[in-house]
């Protein structure tokens, strides 16, 4: 019936935990491979391009473009239509995400977008994107 | 000339398909057993003759063990590699190898599902960097279709052509679930699910099971049916999560296809029919391109004007496919079954005259695993 002891912090976490901890601290980090110069997302232990373990963490630029996109059709009571897309980061890797701040049907392939960290409470944070203001 | 791999080493000697469509009150293992019963009757064997079991059935954790227990078998070869819907085309290779090596004498490939009656939706692998966005299976395919349209000018009308062709074939198949007439206009007016894919661009969710019996080639002639030989097969993979797919307009079929055709010593133009896993209409277009029936980006134009419909230049998905015949979650085994039925000349009203060769192409995950097999009659050996 006693309080659970606080678990000791993990001394040497793996790539996924490092990524999540950075997100929780407000930083979007990706990996850069010293072996082949590729940027890597999602976080890995070995570079998927060349197999090197020399992956170092770098701050992502947060800049990207929409590689492909769909409008997920949902009834209004289920939350209404929403965007789902794959964004290609300026550094090269892609990730699944959504574009927020504009209507789902206004998201287009090749649109310039900027990353934003979202998520609340104890849930893991994740990356969404905002369309850059039109010039 | 290097190895011919498994060319001509094993043959399909029995095919069974359970009741399908809507079969309430039947579990997936019960439907599986009905398909096995029919495949054994077709091959003229007793189920106890089976000594190699190749199965993938979700959500069973140990499907090969469950199938073997259910059928009362003690197989000498147990294989259950999970590649999604392409698993069964992949099993053709491993069953042929096991038979050729003498590890077993009678191989069973099987699948069963009551996805429709149980209201359990296929898919649902939790992938760590995509799950926050809750993607459904259809969404990944929709994004592939969107990219194909963007790069190559493919139109919704092209997707609709695929749905209409599948329906036209289904209308010739008394066992197909959807047999009402369908026009391009109907398909275009259908409810949008994930742009640009509508309800009619998506496969059915049905109940159903399939079973394939295979033996070594030299024993195949001892069975009552015309054997259908495995002439070539190859598996490839490009990604698990859709965002990791390098080019959403090119699947790993562009690698599995040429390898399977090379093993068979045949070309796409040699094929009497093509069974292409049509989970969504865009799949058919992608696979026609990637397997070499037309150039990349030209799949939309290729399917236009009824090319793949009955009476067209290329017979594709002659049972009506996943779009109009049946799709109980993992459809791959039904591609093999229909190809074998055609090559044996037993397809009735939908029979492709003189069918001697078939390419069977399975897809798994979100365009993730791609497995191609080339099948042929004795004359093609
Ligand atoms: Zn590298």
């Amino acid at each position: 019936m006693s309080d659970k002891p606080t678990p000791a912090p993990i001394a040497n976490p793996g790539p996924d935990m490092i990524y999540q901890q950075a997100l929780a601290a407000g930083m979007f980090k990706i990996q850069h491979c010293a072996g082949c110069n590729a940027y890597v997302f999602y976080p890995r232990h070995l570079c998927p391009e060349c197999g090197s373990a020399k992956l170092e963490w770098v701050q992502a630029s947060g800049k990207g473009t929409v590689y492909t996109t769909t409008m997920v059709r949902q009834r209004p009571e289920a939350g209404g239509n929403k965007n789902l897309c794959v964004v290609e980061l300026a550094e090269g890797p892609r990730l699944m995400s959504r574009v927020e701040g504009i209507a789902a049907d206004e998201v287009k392939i090749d649109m310039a977008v900027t990353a934003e960290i979202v998520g609340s409470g104890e849930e893991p944070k994740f990356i969404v994107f905002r369309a850059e203001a039109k010039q | 000339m290097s190895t011919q791999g498994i060319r001509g080493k094993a043959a399909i000697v029995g095919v069974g398909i359970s009741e399908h469509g809507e079969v309430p009150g039947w579990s997936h293992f019960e439907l599986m057993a009905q398909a096995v019963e029919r495949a054994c009757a077709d091959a003229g064997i007793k189920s106890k003759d089976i000594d190699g079991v190749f199965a993938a059935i979700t959500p069973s954790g140990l499907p090969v063990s469950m199938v073997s227990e259910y059928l009362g078998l003690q197989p000498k070869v147990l294989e259950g590699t999970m590649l999604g819907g392409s698993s069964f085309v992949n099993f053709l290779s491993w069953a042929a190898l096991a038979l050729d090596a003498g590890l077993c004498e009678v191989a069973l490939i099987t699948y069963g599902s009551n996805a429709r009656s149980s209201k359990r939706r296929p898919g649902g692998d939790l992938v760590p960097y995509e799950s926050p966005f809750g993607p459904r299976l259809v969404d990944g395919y929709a994004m592939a279709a969107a990219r194909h349209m963007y790069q190559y000018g493919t139109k919704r009308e092209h997707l609709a052509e695929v749905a209409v062709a599948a329906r036209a074939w289904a209308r010739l198949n008394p066992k197909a679930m959807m047999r009402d007439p369908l026009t391009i206009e109907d398909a275009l007016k259908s409810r949008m699910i994930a742009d640009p894919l509508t309800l009619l661009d998506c496969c059915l969710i049905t109940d159903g099971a399939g079973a394939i019996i295979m033996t070594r080639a030299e024993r195949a002639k001892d069975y009552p049916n015309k054997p259908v030989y495995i002439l070539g097969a190859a598996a490839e993979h490009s990604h698990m999560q859709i965002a990791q797919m390098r080019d959403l307009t090119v699947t790993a079929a562009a690698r599995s296809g040429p390898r399977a055709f090379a093993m068979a010593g045949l070309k796409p133009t040699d094929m009497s029919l093509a069974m292409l896993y049509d989970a969504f209409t865009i799949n058919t277009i992608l696979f026609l391109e990637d397997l070499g029936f037309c150039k990349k980006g030209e799949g939309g134009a290729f399917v236009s004007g009824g090319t793949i419909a009955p009476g067209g230049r290329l017979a594709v998905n002659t049972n009506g496919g996943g779009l109009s015949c049946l799709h109980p979650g993992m459809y791959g085994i039904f591609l093999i079954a229909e190809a074998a039925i055609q090559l044996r000349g037993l397809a009735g009203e939908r029979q492709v005259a003189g069918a001697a060769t078939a390419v069977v192409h399975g897809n798994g995950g979100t365009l993730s695993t791609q497995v191609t097999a080339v099948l042929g009659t004795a004359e093609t050996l």
Side-chain angles (χ1 to χ4, degrees):
Chain A
M1 307 301 130
S2 61
D3 291 343
K4 283 187 197 146
T6 311
I10 293 166
N12 184 23
D16 182 57
M17 188 175 279
I18 291 170
Y19 171 74
Q20 292 294 345
Q21 287 172 347
L23 274 191
M27 289 174 289
F28 175 26
K29 291 196 168 182
I30 62 174
Q31 292 169 304
H32 174 261
C33 177
C36 73
N37 232 13
Y39 288 91
V40 174
F41 189 88
Y42 52 95
R44 312 284 222 285
H45 182 65
L46 298 174
C47 172
E49 302 296 332
C50 76
S52 168
K54 291 179 188 151
L55 294 172
E56 53 207 20
W57 291 99
V58 294
Q59 181 77 35
S61 69
K63 302 289 181 196
T65 53
V66 174
Y67 171 73
T68 188
T69 180
T70 184
M71 178 158 61
V72 176
R73 302 294 185 113
Q74 295 183 127
R75 291 186 182 86
E77 58 271 27
N81 297 342
K82 63 173 187 181
N83 173 251
L84 183 73
C85 63
V86 174
V87 170
E88 185 166 299
L89 297 173
E91 293 86 346
R94 297 198 194 124
L95 67 164
M96 180 176 281
S97 189
R98 63 174 174 253
V99 175
E100 296 193 337
I102 59 173
D105 61 355
E106 289 174 17
V107 181
K108 303 290 180 204
I109 291 176
D110 269 352
M111 181 177 267
V113 291
T114 307
E116 185 176 312
I117 300 170
V118 296
S120 56
E122 294 300 296
E123 293 295 303
K125 303 271 191 288
F126 55 94
I127 299 288
V128 299
F129 288 84
R130 290 201 173 266
E132 288 186 359
K134 288 209 182 74
Q135 299 298 313
Chain B
M1 183 80 189
S2 60
T3 172
Q4 288 196 307
I6 55 170
R7 190 186 200 284
K9 298 211 183 292
I12 295 166
V13 296
V15 175
I17 300 174
S18 75
E19 294 303 301
H20 56 86
E22 197 151 351
V23 196
W26 282 68
S27 76
H28 28 276
F29 289 102
E30 290 164 348
L31 289 168
M32 174 278 294
Q34 188 183 61
V36 171
E37 175 196 4
R38 293 175 182 184
C40 288
D42 182 48
I45 64 168
K46 296 193 285 290
S47 64
K48 292 285 183 184
D49 296 334
I50 295 164
D51 62 352
V53 171
F54 300 74
I57 295 178
T58 51
S60 173
L62 296 176
V64 180
S65 190
M66 188 64 221
V67 165
S68 300
E69 177 192 284
Y70 196 93
L71 299 173
L73 303 175
Q74 273 97 48
K76 293 186 279 191
V77 174
L78 302 103
E79 226 301 301
T81 302
M82 172 54 82
L83 298 184
S86 63
S87 301
F88 311 93
V89 187
N90 189 48
F91 288 145
L92 290 173
S93 289
W94 303 107
L97 280 168
L99 290 162
D100 186 52
L103 302 181
C104 60
E105 299 295 319
V106 178
L108 165 70
I109 301 174
T110 192
Y111 173 70
S113 167
N114 63 354
R116 186 179 189 87
S117 297
S118 67
K119 307 266 189 284
R120 201 185 53 244
R121 291 299 177 254
D125 236 321
L126 275 184
V127 285
Y129 295 90
E130 299 190 349
S131 48
F133 306 99
R136 306 163 300 176
L137 205 53
V138 57
D139 299 329
Y141 288 89
M143 291 196 289
R147 187 73 200 181
H148 202 277
M149 288 176 158
Y150 175 80
Q151 278 184 230
Y152 299 113
T154 306
K155 293 179 166 55
R156 284 192 55 216
E157 285 76 3
H158 296 137
L159 300 174
E161 282 272 2
V162 174
V164 167
R167 181 63 59 86
W169 282 111
R171 288 173 57 73
L172 303 178
N173 178 2
K175 292 283 193 180
M177 185 161 180
M178 304 296 283
R179 304 190 68 215
D180 292 338
L182 181 71
T183 65
I184 302 279
E185 291 67 38
D186 296 333
L188 291 173
K189 276 189 303 203
S190 173
R191 179 166 63 87
M192 195 62 79
I193 302 293
D195 299 58
L197 301 181
T198 68
L199 186 64
L200 290 172
D201 289 309
C202 301
C203 62
L204 307 168
I205 296 174
T206 70
D207 302 324
I212 302 291
I213 304 288
M214 284 172 64
T215 69
R216 245 189 316 289
E218 77 238 23
R219 291 191 57 197
K221 292 180 237 31
D222 302 339
Y223 291 84
N225 305 310
K226 267 177 72 178
V228 172
Y229 294 89
I230 318 301
L231 302 179
E236 289 275 355
H237 138 102
S238 53
H239 62 281
M240 169 63 195
Q241 309 182 65
I242 192 71
Q244 298 291 315
M245 186 174 181
R246 188 88 22 150
D247 180 345
L248 261 70
T249 69
V250 182
T251 75
R255 299 193 303 271
S256 65
R259 285 177 50 214
F261 283 123
M263 192 185 288
L266 294 167
K267 317 182 285 301
T269 47
D270 297 325
M271 295 298 108
S272 311
L273 70 146
M275 293 298 300
L276 312 177
Y277 194 140
D278 56 342
F280 301 93
T281 49
I282 186 65
N283 295 37
T284 306
I285 288 174
L286 288 170
F287 299 150
L288 286 167
E289 294 172 349
D290 292 339
L291 295 175
F293 287 97
C294 61
K295 290 206 189 98
K296 180 50 64 185
E298 295 180 0
F302 183 86
V303 300
S304 295
T307 309
I308 62 171
R313 194 145 46 86
L314 178 67
V316 173
N317 297 340
T318 53
N319 59 345
L323 292 168
S324 276
C325 180
L326 83 168
H327 190 287
M330 295 197 295
Y331 171 72
I333 197 158
F334 304 103
L335 301 166
I336 306 167
E338 175 68 6
I341 290 166
Q342 286 281 358
L343 295 180
R344 283 161 58 177
L346 301 176
E349 210 188 331
R350 68 184 189 279
Q351 178 66 44
V352 175
T357 52
V359 60
V360 173
H361 184 77
N363 162 74
T366 312
L367 296 169
S368 313
T369 63
Q370 302 296 329
V371 190
T372 312
V374 179
L375 308 182
T377 59
E379 293 72 33
T380 65
L381 276 177

